[in-house]
Amino acid sequence: LQRMLSIAVEVDRSPTCSSRKIADDIFLFILNIPLRSQREALLTTMESQLLRCRLLELLFDHSCDVPTTSSMSLDKILYFLSHSSVLPQFQDETATWQRWDEMLQYLSLLLMSYQSHFPLAEHLRSSLSDRMDLIVQKAKPRLQDSDDISHLDVQLKMSNFISRMQEALGQPLPPQIQEKLYMLQ
């Protein structure tokens, strides 16, 4: 399945458009996956970083009270950190801290997916054959303004997020969550 999805993203003249179409089509199926382990298995084994990034973006857009229309960027990831909540569909018998832990896991995965395809972001908008020409020409991708974030921005958003999580949990953060917060920051 993962190989087929990866190929499906690449066969179109625009991998970005393909990944958006595919993600839109399979997003509801991901929302209906009952177990965290199954959701994580699907998302972590995804071969197409572009498709994974788009699916996680949809997931976080869905979890925000006020979704943002900005394009994927580091600033948008900070927006998700500030505005997303634990998805109601994923609230089963697991403890509240485990649902927050899952959310942190997906934020980290989104950041890694975005960072891994960002250096080629401009190239990924091109077809596979055109992309090879751009790489051979050593064309540099353009930075987005929304990727220029400061350490202070990150610290403020993380502090706000930690306060929100501690309020929701009503107890000190478990070590697993503290470790994921540190890694994410």
Side-chain angles (χ1 to χ4, degrees):
L1 173 66
Q2 296 298 357
R3 187 70 189 134
M4 288 171 43
L5 288 171
S6 182
I7 291 170
V9 167
E10 293 294 336
V11 295
D12 197 347
R13 292 230 5 109
S14 172
T16 302
C17 287
S18 302
S19 66
R20 286 186 179 276
K21 289 176 193 174
I22 293 167
D24 289 343
D25 286 343
I26 65 175
F27 177 65
L28 290 177
F29 294 110
I30 290 177
L31 286 181
N32 291 318
I33 296 175
L35 299 175
R36 175 183 179 177
S37 60
Q38 294 169 333
R39 289 187 296 272
E40 282 183 6
L42 176 69
L43 292 168
T44 57
T45 61
M46 195 158 284
E47 288 183 19
S48 172
Q49 296 290 332
L50 191 59
L51 181 57
R52 179 186 323 172
C53 191
R54 178 62 185 153
L55 281 169
L56 288 166
E57 181 183 4
L58 286 173
L59 189 66
F60 281 106
D61 271 337
H62 185 74
S63 74
C64 290
D65 291 335
V66 181
T68 178
T69 57
S70 63
S71 61
M72 192 60 215
S73 65
L74 294 176
D75 190 50
K76 189 169 187 174
I77 293 172
L78 285 178
Y79 179 86
F80 291 150
L81 187 68
S82 297
H83 294 88
S84 59
S85 60
V86 178
L87 289 171
Q89 290 89 338
F90 297 162
Q91 294 183 10
D92 47 21
E93 294 81 40
T94 58
T96 304
W97 75 268
Q98 289 173 319
R99 294 192 301 264
W100 283 94
D101 184 63
E102 182 177 11
M103 184 177 138
L104 280 171
Q105 178 72 24
Y106 294 155
L107 268 171
S108 296
L109 195 57
L110 175 62
L111 183 60
M112 287 187 302
S113 296
Y114 180 69
Q115 286 180 325
S116 70
H117 92 263
F118 171 73
L120 298 174
E122 285 291 315
H123 304 328
L124 289 174
R125 293 187 182 104
S126 308
S127 68
L128 193 57
S129 57
D130 295 341
R131 195 179 318 158
M132 296 311 277
D133 294 336
L134 290 170
I135 292 171
V136 168
Q137 295 169 5
K138 296 182 181 178
K140 301 272 185 200
R142 292 185 307 258
L143 290 175
Q144 298 181 58
D145 290 338
S146 52
D147 280 324
D148 188 21
I149 58 173
S150 69
H151 289 289
L152 182 60
D153 291 334
V154 173
Q155 288 175 340
L156 289 173
K157 300 290 184 181
M158 287 298 289
S159 295
N160 185 9
F161 180 76
I162 290 169
S163 297
R164 198 166 48 108
M165 190 183 332
Q166 283 177 327
E167 184 180 315
L169 293 175
Q171 62 187 17
L173 299 177
Q176 298 92 326
I177 287 187
Q178 289 177 357
E179 183 179 318
K180 283 191 172 120
L181 284 168
Y182 176 75
M183 298 289 286
L184 182 62
Q185 190 170 357

